[in-house]
Amino acid sequence: MLPTGLKDNQLSRSNSQKVHPQPMEDLMNQNPEAVEALIAKIFTNISSLKSAYIQLQTGHNPYDPERIQAADRLVISELKNLSDLKHLYRENYPKPTCASPQDSRLAAEIQEQQSLLKTYEVMVKKFQSEIQNKDSEILQLQQQIEDAHQKRTKLEKNLKLRGLSTKDSEASGEENGFIPVDLTPELFISAVEAAFKAIHDFSKPLINMMKAAGWDLDAAADSIEPNVVYTKRAHKKYAFESHICQRMFSGFQQDSFGIESDITTISREGFFHQFLVLREMDPLDMIGQNSDSTFGKFCGSKYLVVVHPKMEASFFGNLDQRNYITGGGHPRTPFYQAFLKLAKSIWLLHLLAYSFDPNVKIFQVKRGDEFAEVYMESIVKNLILDGSDEKPKVGLMVMPGFWIGGTVIQSRVYLSGVKVTE
């Protein structure tokens, strides 16, 4: 405690001269442990603030909105902690009452606020720069969207020329009408396998209906290709598969598949786009949207050459279905729907063949040609070759072959008079 007289003298002098805050040495002498703890907290807070600011900077490169927001909250929290420490200091060590405008503590506060203001100005400029960059990116993305929209419009126009609905494009599940599938030889080979399987699958109900109608299957097979020596009677089924194949692939070498149409020249991209769209659709839905489309005409014309009138009359007792198809209709009978699956597989193979540059070329082998393993594959396995110089001869071509670039996809043939192991 100061003597009363001395204390009064100090108060009287405070009215006529400047009073400064207590020096740090005096504060340390009064409560050194508290001051040391306060300083330690300040240093810790500054280190945390520095770390938070670094996190805020790293959140902008690469740009990560969530990380920026989290770092921003952390910076604000650390600034608040620093402000709390400042208030704690002022509460425990209040400045003397002084009305002088040159008070050093007030000057320090002003300087502190000015520093914070400069920091905020720098951050605002930085954020404005980032906003400008994002605006530029948005403009670029908008331009890309516009380009994609124009490309889609062009593709939809091609689809309309082919007699297909624009809804087909939307059914593909992609915004611009494409499914992410690469145009590769492997994709074409898989389409060849699908077409071959479709021919085999359709031959089954065809043969069963012939049996049910009382047809002589041996005579029917011989009428398709006479004098073929079959190793087994069951192998005569390949004659019917050959019949289906020959008629379904007729016109394959033409870009229009031999179907009359008002379409203009279709680009390779247009062919591939149609392949991607139609491969996921039900064939009945494909022609249901536009029965007079090119694909619809293809189905009707191929049915009329694959299924003979006599055959159909024996199946159904009349030609009503045939007449309906001749008139441009597409019946929903199970037999015709089975045929549509076959037609779709051949149609897709044709679209895919014309998607390549250069186009995939089809080749066929004739009855009596010598068997050449480079270009042909026997549909019957486990052949017994006698080792003679005479090579086996082709009896039936069950599936044509293809040239795709420098790759040969073998034609599948039935060899006449060749024995097989049991």
Side-chain angles (χ1 to χ4, degrees):
M1 295 291 293
L2 294 172
T4 302
L6 181 59
K7 183 176 181 180
D8 292 339
N9 291 335
Q10 288 181 345
L11 289 174
S12 62
R13 288 196 302 268
S14 65
N15 294 326
S16 59
Q17 63 183 8
K18 187 190 324 182
V19 179
H20 297 280
Q22 291 175 284
M24 183 58 68
E25 291 80 358
D26 295 342
L27 298 178
M28 291 290 292
N29 292 334
Q30 290 181 8
N31 194 347
E33 295 181 355
V35 173
E36 288 179 0
L38 180 61
I39 293 174
K41 288 180 180 180
I42 292 174
F43 285 144
T44 301
N45 181 258
I46 292 174
S47 298
S48 299
L49 182 59
K50 181 179 179 181
S51 175
Y53 183 69
I54 292 175
Q55 294 182 42
L56 182 63
Q57 288 182 315
T58 57
H60 288 81
N61 187 20
Y63 186 76
D64 187 342
E66 294 183 358
R67 189 172 182 180
I68 291 173
Q69 291 178 2
D72 184 62
R73 289 192 294 268
L74 188 57
V75 168
I76 293 174
S77 176
E78 295 301 335
L79 287 173
K80 185 177 181 300
N81 291 339
L82 187 60
S83 177
D84 291 342
L85 289 174
K86 181 179 68 173
H87 290 302
L88 178 63
Y89 168 76
R90 290 177 176 174
E91 290 174 359
N92 293 326
Y93 307 101
K95 62 183 179 179
T97 302
C98 179
S100 173
Q102 300 180 1
D103 183 270
S104 61
R105 184 178 296 226
L106 180 59
E109 290 181 6
I110 294 173
Q111 185 177 3
E112 178 185 358
Q113 297 301 323
Q114 289 177 340
S115 299
L116 288 174
L117 182 59
K118 290 180 180 180
T119 301
Y120 290 141
E121 288 177 351
V122 171
M123 294 179 67
V124 167
K125 289 181 180 179
K126 183 177 181 180
F127 289 143
Q128 287 176 340
S129 176
E130 291 172 355
I131 290 173
Q132 291 177 353
N133 292 335
K134 294 303 173 184
D135 288 341
S136 178
E137 292 179 9
I138 291 172
L139 290 175
Q140 293 178 0
L141 291 174
Q142 288 175 339
Q143 183 61 46
Q144 292 177 10
I145 292 173
E146 180 63 24
D147 293 342
H149 177 72
Q150 293 179 358
K151 185 176 182 181
R152 176 182 178 135
T153 301
K154 183 178 179 180
L155 291 172
E156 287 177 347
K157 183 178 180 180
N158 287 335
L159 284 176
K160 289 179 180 179
L161 291 173
R162 295 287 285 185
L164 297 171
S165 170
T166 56
K167 293 180 180 179
D168 299 346
S169 175
E170 297 171 358
S172 67
E174 294 296 318
E175 185 176 2
N176 58 5
F178 282 105
I179 298 173
V181 176
D182 293 330
L183 182 62
T184 62
E186 290 74 20
L187 180 62
F188 185 79
I189 292 173
S190 67
V192 171
E193 293 297 327
F196 176 67
K197 182 179 183 301
I199 292 173
H200 176 72
D201 290 345
F202 180 71
S203 69
K204 289 182 178 180
L206 186 68
I207 294 172
N208 290 336
M209 294 185 74
M210 292 174 69
K211 289 180 179 179
W215 279 61
D216 184 342
L217 296 183
D218 293 333
D222 291 338
S223 68
I224 293 172
E225 196 67 68
N227 302 322
V228 176
V229 180
Y230 296 95
T231 305
K232 297 181 180 180
R233 186 171 182 270
H235 289 176
K236 292 189 175 182
K237 67 180 181 179
Y238 296 122
F240 301 103
E241 293 185 15
S242 177
H243 167 79
I244 296 170
C245 169
Q246 294 282 0
R247 283 152 181 78
M248 291 302 298
F249 279 97
S250 176
F252 188 91
Q253 70 279 4
Q254 304 173 29
D255 59 358
S256 64
F257 217 139
I259 306 300
E260 293 184 2
S261 176
D262 297 331
I263 62 171
T264 58
T265 303
I266 303 299
S267 66
R268 302 186 192 282
E269 292 79 7
F271 277 109
F272 189 51
H273 174 77
Q274 290 184 56
F275 169 81
L276 295 175
V277 170
L278 300 181
R279 70 196 292 252
E280 303 298 332
M281 295 184 63
D282 182 272
L284 196 59
D285 293 337
M286 291 163 62
I287 58 177
Q289 293 181 0
N290 185 354
S291 60
D292 196 38
S293 66
T294 308
F295 175 67
K297 293 178 181 179
F298 170 80
C299 294
S301 64
K302 290 300 182 182
Y303 177 87
L304 295 177
V305 297
V306 170
V307 183
H308 194 275
K310 292 183 178 179
M311 186 182 296
E312 187 168 354
S314 66
F315 292 168
F316 308 113
N318 56 60
L319 296 178
D320 292 347
Q321 177 171 273
R322 189 177 194 84
N323 294 333
Y324 183 67
I325 295 172
T326 302
H330 299 279
R332 294 181 175 270
T333 61
F335 184 70
Y336 188 70
Q337 291 187 50
F339 172 78
L340 288 180
K341 294 180 180 179
L342 165 65
K344 175 189 173 182
S345 68
I346 305 299
W347 183 257
L348 289 177
L349 187 63
H350 179 264
L351 292 175
L352 197 55
Y354 279 84
S355 300
F356 286 86
D357 185 13
N359 301 336
V360 176
K361 302 297 182 182
I362 186 173
F363 68 88
Q364 303 188 36
V365 295
K366 299 178 181 178
R367 179 186 174 180
D369 289 347
E370 289 186 348
F371 178 65
E373 293 184 357
V374 176
Y375 302 105
M376 306 176 197
E377 176 186 358
S378 174
I379 198 168
V380 177
K381 307 304 178 183
N382 304 321
L383 300 178
I384 299 176
L385 302 178
D386 55 15
S388 62
D389 293 336
E390 185 178 357
K391 294 183 178 181
K393 300 293 195 320
V394 174
L396 298 166
M397 186 194 72
V398 184
M399 184 73 181
F402 302 90
W403 281 297
I404 176 170
T407 303
V408 175
I409 301 177
Q410 297 165 303
S411 171
R412 303 186 188 191
V413 299
Y414 182 83
L415 300 177
S416 179
V418 177
K419 296 181 181 180
V420 298
T421 58
E422 297 294 336

